[in-house]
Amino acid sequence: MMRHTIVMLTGICLATGILAVAAADTQEKGSRTWAAPRAADEHRNPLQHQPDTWAGGTKVFLQRCAACHASDGTGTSRGPNLMTGRVQQQSDGALFWKISSGNTRGGMPSFSFLPAAQRWQLVSHLRTAARQ
């Protein structure tokens, strides 16, 4: 009887743990937020004070990003508007991390294959485009 109770309690605890993990996973999948790790905020754009870098970023954006985010970054049915305050309030490091890492659950591919300088140019482009 005691052994049966212990086995049953163990099973209940295990099932509760599995349900909690599944609920957290479902919540994350259904969530509209996609947060970069806090450490990403510490990274500064090394091209930030080079005004000509946005032109290179514009070229890369049109080649790699416009299909989903539109040529002006205002979004399509495939990708969100990158000109919103929600996006623009993120640090350069967070945007760089998102461009580099991607978000397969949300449909954003990783662009880690691009040289770091091009990914930083994309960040510069996003900042400049939002001000225009």
Side-chain angles (χ1 to χ4, degrees), residues 29-90:
K29 285 180 184 175
S31 174
R32 300 289 296 165
T33 61
W34 173 33
R38 289 183 190 216
D41 291 334
E42 297 172 13
H43 298 285
R44 303 287 176 237
N45 187 342
L47 307 176
Q48 179 178 6
H49 299 294
Q50 297 178 21
D52 58 332
T53 61
W54 68 270
T58 299
K59 182 178 177 182
V60 176
F61 186 87
L62 292 173
Q63 292 172 342
R64 303 284 184 178
C65 311
C68 293
H69 297 287
S71 60
D72 62 355
T74 56
T76 69
S77 62
R78 294 179 59 198
N81 184 342
L82 301 175
M83 301 298 116
T84 64
R86 187 184 71 169
V87 173
Q88 293 297 317
Q89 291 170 358
Q90 296 178 49

Side-chain angles (χ1 to χ4, degrees), residues 13-30 105:
C13 289
L14 182 60
T16 303
I18 290 170
L19 289 175
V21 168
D25 189 44
T26 301
Q27 182 178 14
E28 184 179 319
K29 285 180 184 175
R105 288 182 181 178

Side-chain angles (χ1 to χ4, degrees), residues 89-112:
Q89 291 170 358
Q90 296 178 49
S91 70
D92 286 355
L95 293 175
F96 180 84
W97 181 87
K98 288 181 175 188
I99 292 166
S100 300
S101 301
N103 179 0
T104 56
R105 288 182 181 178
M108 169 73 177
S110 165
F111 288 95
S112 61

